[in-house]
Amino acid sequence: MSVRRLDPNQPASFAFTAENLDWAKKQIAKYPQGKQASAIIPLFWRAQEQHDGWLPEPAIRYVAEMLGMDYIRALEVATFYTMFNLSPVGEHFVQLCGTTPCWLRGADELKEVCRKHIGPEKTVSADGKFSWMEVECLGACVNAPMVQINADFFEDLDAASLERVLTDLRAGRQVKPGPQNERHASEPIGGLTSLTNVGQPETGGSN
Amino acid sequence: MPKLIVDGIEVEVENGATLLQACEEAGAEIPRFCYHERLSIAGNCRMCLVEVEKSPKPVASCAMPAADGMVVHTKTEQVKRAREGVMEFLLINHPLDCPICDQGGECDLQDQSMAYGVDGSRFHENKRAVEEKYMGPLVKTVMTRCIHCTRCIRFSQEVAGVPELGAIGRGEDMEITTYLEHALTSELSANVVDLCPVGALTFRPFAYTARPWELKKTESVDVMDAVGSNIRVDARGAEVMRILPRLNDDVNEEWISDKTRFVWDGLKTQRLDTPYIKENGKLRPASWDEAFAAIAAKLNGAKPESIAAIAGDLACAESMKALKDLFAALGSKNIDCRQDGAKLNAGNRASYLFNSTIAGIEEADAILLIGTNPRIEAPIINARILKRARAGGLKVGVVGPRVDLSYDYDYLGAGPQSLKDLGAFADVLKNAQRPMIVVGQGALARADGAAVLAEALALAKSAGAVSGEWNGFNVLHTAAARVAGLDLGFVPGEGGRDVAGILDGASKGEVSFVYLLGADEIDMGKLGSAFVVYQGTHGDAGAHRADVILPGAAYTEKPATWVNTEGRVQLGRRAVFPPGEAREDWTIVRALSGVLGKPLPYDNLAALRAAMEADTPHFAEVDFIVPAGALPDLPKGELDAAPFESPVKDFYMTNPVARASAVMAECAAGRARQRIQAAE
């Protein structure tokens, strides 16, 4: 964690598209009268989605006004949750897990790949395609190490496979999310090591 | 009513009381940073940990409701160790800059670390550093010192009603700031400095000027508005160094407005410190004897009808009493203390007081504000209304300027015509148990002021605002001197001239001598060729026009009696002596009376006060309110159509002291900038 600040370069204004506005109104309507402020996180999410993956200052004010909140209260929320990006991100935003399980399984190696292919952490690459940052556990430890790119998890990575994913994305080719080795989900590599006799008659057991 | 045992002492506390309150009831001292009696409970500093039997861990006493049968220990080894742990964590990131910190000597963290601090640090990493945040000309920030108690955030939301402070970021990176670091806009903003338990928020104008232990503290009363906030004046030598609030639950609780607090630099500049006489169009310093001789030369032989006196907004009761008696001895009836021309009826005390009292606001269930903007006319009273509004079940209606009062209200109209038809709000007032009608000077200081007053009185009666002990008719004054002036009868006698009459007479040449007792808010251009004596403290409008200037003492420089808008008599005390040749105001009038050969019958303050009490017995009831009795019926008149306007155009510039203050000027300029930005 580090201090998060609003980006110095901000757009002049922000407004939801008609479609998003409709959606926002539905979200707000979910909450009882007087509790509209509860809708702030979904609205921020949608604003961030609409605005190329980051939340500009005018959007914070826009959402605050929509919910009848004071600006500072909305700013508190936007700066508290690290999923809201306060500065521009690349078209493909790589969140690299550096927490212990991933780190033990080679997250440092992945960081090197990111540095080489994208550039320094939290900066957008020259072509605007990529940016990356280290995040805390994303909850995919069984497939460590992993990164999240936009909405997709890429798991069971090593330097070579991450490099391949990044190159494909840069070239605009389709990539397959999920484990990047031969695994399908989180089953053991090289076949089952237990429950090998599923479907066969019980041979008796302790429970 | 839960009963519990604290350190072996059984106490019974109110339902809903917290463990911390129960401990205090039992006489145990509980250290705290985030907890504050007048703010909501946050429970985030953890300093108030106590041990509760059958609880596996120490308990934060501020956030734990007291329950029946609890056995609490506050002095055990476990409690001490737990608090030491909390303190050690707080000190990890707190800089060791006490020697250069303005909070030093009155710092909660410093004091409590004497009891719970450990002697060394086990933390080897770098301390956190936080950038300073701009919060305007009054509040200086050293955010590295912040311990995240969030008192300032809760204050701005709950008491000031202007939620502009917040905590951005999280965890170690949490920072207290305003939205994009704009200046605080509340009129009560500097109270956050009092609340700050460490030196993160300090007074910018007071920075690096004095240490608390070298200041002489004098308990006094504020005169910046008619609330009569209780203050403590801290002085070093002959200089007022700062002004702080003093606890009085009936008046200002423990808050004061920014003007009350920071006006002190105005007490040092533009001061009149010697008498002046105008010769050939130019003022020259003179001796008291010369000044008195010049006045006597004009007064001796002058017709009583052609002399007049006007008392200003900062005149103390003593000086008005003396001046009134002097003019009575001279045979003149042309005296007035209502320099704004408010059509107040001095004959009936209930018709010009804030009868419900300030503390009474908390019992009201409907409030109608007429021609007033309490947020700038009396921020402390506005904070009380907000407190009542936050408690729920309060309806507020406004006839007058449509402004942000920091709470919701029904807007009923702009001018007096709206008083005749309040629509649905008329029923709200009728159905209310304790309705309040608050009439501001903006509704009274106008041509149809008397008619508005009559209309408001009639409205109060028809709404049932007066019943039993409750009197819901209130006049909100803006001048500290006004109620005392009306109490003392500093108003025109039978056939005498009021302020408008005096000015009119002076411009026509019918009034040839005008005595201004600190009166600066009148149109000096209308004084014509009259001979003007100005007795006051600052080189303001009155002094510029004057032919003779008599230097008086400011409110921090004299023992004086003040009556606030509720009719509460309070005593101000002398913190420092007046500068140079300046004297206490009543003694100036007394000395002049001797020169004129009509000596007043009192030679010391005690005798003067005895004379005051003989005329107006409630002056003896210091700090208490004497109920004013029944409301009068006044003849109704023609109501104008012009909208009401607040008499306070600029909160920071309402009187000569404030106008002489550089800090107030900076605040006013900053506020003007914000208005321009908002308009764009």
Side-chain angles (χ1 to χ4, degrees), chain B residues 101 306 503 645:
Chain B
C101 174
S306 68
L503 293 177
E645 278 175 46

Side-chain angles (χ1 to χ4, degrees), chain B residues 340-345 351-352 370-371 439-454 456 473-477 644-645 647:
Chain B
D340 56 357
K343 303 284 187 295
L344 287 159
N345 180 2
S351 73
Y352 62 79
I370 302 172
V439 188
Q441 300 306 299
L444 301 174
R446 43 191 270 152
D448 63 345
V452 174
L453 182 64
F473 180 79
N474 300 286
V475 173
L476 180 60
H477 289 272
F644 294 134
E645 278 175 46

Side-chain angles (χ1 to χ4, degrees), chain B residues 163-366:
Chain B
E164 47 192 354
L165 278 167
I168 62 165
R170 64 200 277 191
E172 192 187 21
D173 300 315
M174 179 169 144
E175 297 180 356
I176 305 288
T177 184
T178 54
Y179 191 76
L180 307 184
E181 296 193 35
H182 73 65
L184 295 170
T185 60
S186 162
E187 288 75 20
L188 295 168
S189 64
N191 288 297
V192 296
V193 178
D194 288 338
L195 288 171
C196 185
V198 295
L201 306 177
T202 52
F203 302 121
R204 197 184 285 277
F206 178 66
Y208 308 128
T209 54
R211 283 304 203 178
W213 55 83
E214 52 188 27
L215 299 172
K216 190 186 83 188
K217 292 137 184 119
T218 311
E219 300 197 334
S220 191
V221 177
D222 170 58
V223 301
M224 290 300 118
D225 52 31
V227 175
S229 295
N230 288 205
I231 54 171
R232 194 186 89 192
V233 182
D234 284 7
R236 186 175 59 190
E239 241 184 320
V240 173
M241 300 305 294
R242 65 174 179 178
I243 294 172
L244 295 176
R246 184 156 61 88
L247 205 72
N248 188 338
D249 275 337
D250 290 332
V251 184
N252 56 318
E253 298 182 277
E254 59 188 271
W255 322 120
I256 53 174
S257 75
D258 290 348
K259 186 165 54 179
T260 300
R261 189 187 298 268
F262 290 114
V263 80
W264 46 259
D265 70 326
L267 292 168
K268 300 172 198 171
T269 47
Q270 298 267 8
R271 284 305 298 270
L272 302 170
D273 55 1
T274 183
Y276 286 87
I277 297 177
K278 191 175 263 175
E279 277 177 357
N280 307 324
K282 271 191 156 176
L283 288 164
R284 70 157 176 90
S287 69
W288 279 105
D289 289 340
E290 285 176 282
F292 284 153
I295 297 170
K298 285 283 167 186
L299 270 181
N300 283 337
K303 280 200 230 95
E305 305 86 58
S306 68
I307 63 172
I310 302 173
D313 292 350
L314 304 182
C316 61
E318 282 82 359
S319 60
M320 284 190 284
K321 165 74 177 162
L323 192 60
K324 182 192 170 215
D325 288 353
L326 175 62
F327 268 68
L330 293 169
S332 173
K333 291 167 182 168
N334 303 331
I335 56 172
D336 202 347
C337 65
R338 299 161 298 186
Q339 58 170 339
D340 56 357
K343 303 284 187 295
L344 287 159
N345 180 2
N348 184 292
R349 202 158 181 255
S351 73
Y352 62 79
L353 289 188
F354 200 90
N355 294 297
S356 306
T357 75
I358 296 170
I361 292 171
E362 292 183 34
E363 291 165 36
D365 45 5

Side-chain angles (χ1 to χ4, degrees), chain B residues 425-578:
Chain B
F425 203 81
D427 293 328
V428 171
L429 281 178
K430 277 213 172 67
N431 297 333
Q433 296 295 311
R434 303 210 141 174
M436 274 179 78
I437 289 171
V438 180
V439 188
Q441 300 306 299
L444 301 174
R446 43 191 270 152
D448 63 345
V452 174
L453 182 64
E455 194 71 34
L457 281 163
L459 190 64
K461 287 190 176 170
S462 70
V466 186
S467 59
E469 294 223 317
W470 181 255
N471 186 340
F473 180 79
N474 300 286
V475 173
L476 180 60
H477 289 272
T478 52
R482 194 73 80 250
V483 175
L486 295 167
D487 280 354
L488 292 166
F490 201 99
V491 288
E494 196 67 40
R497 291 172 187 268
D498 61 5
V499 166
I502 294 168
L503 293 177
D504 189 46
S507 52
K508 285 184 186 150
E510 291 161 14
V511 172
S512 59
F513 178 96
V514 181
Y515 197 111
L516 299 177
L517 181 62
D520 289 286
E521 326 297 325
I522 52 171
D523 185 355
M524 297 297 163
K526 288 190 179 163
L527 286 171
S529 57
F531 185 83
V532 176
V533 176
Y534 180 80
Q535 176 181 339
T537 55
H538 284 74
D540 207 69
H544 283 286
R545 171 60 186 80
D547 296 294
V548 173
I549 293 175
L550 305 175
Y555 66 110
T556 50
E557 296 158 1
K558 60 186 173 189
T561 305
W562 307 96
V563 188
N564 79 351
T565 190
E566 305 167 284
R568 187 187 301 276
V569 178
Q570 300 188 104
L571 294 184
R573 293 179 184 81
R574 175 165 51 217
V576 294
F577 284 93

Side-chain angles (χ1 to χ4, degrees), chain B residues 44 52 84 143 154 232 235 264 311 313 359 362 387 391 416 418 497 551 618 632 655:
Chain B
N44 55 13
V52 180
E84 280 172 359
M143 281 317 196
R154 284 173 283 148
R232 194 186 89 192
W264 46 259
D313 292 350
E362 292 183 34
K387 185 181 180 190
S418 312
R497 291 172 187 268
H618 63 263
N655 61 50

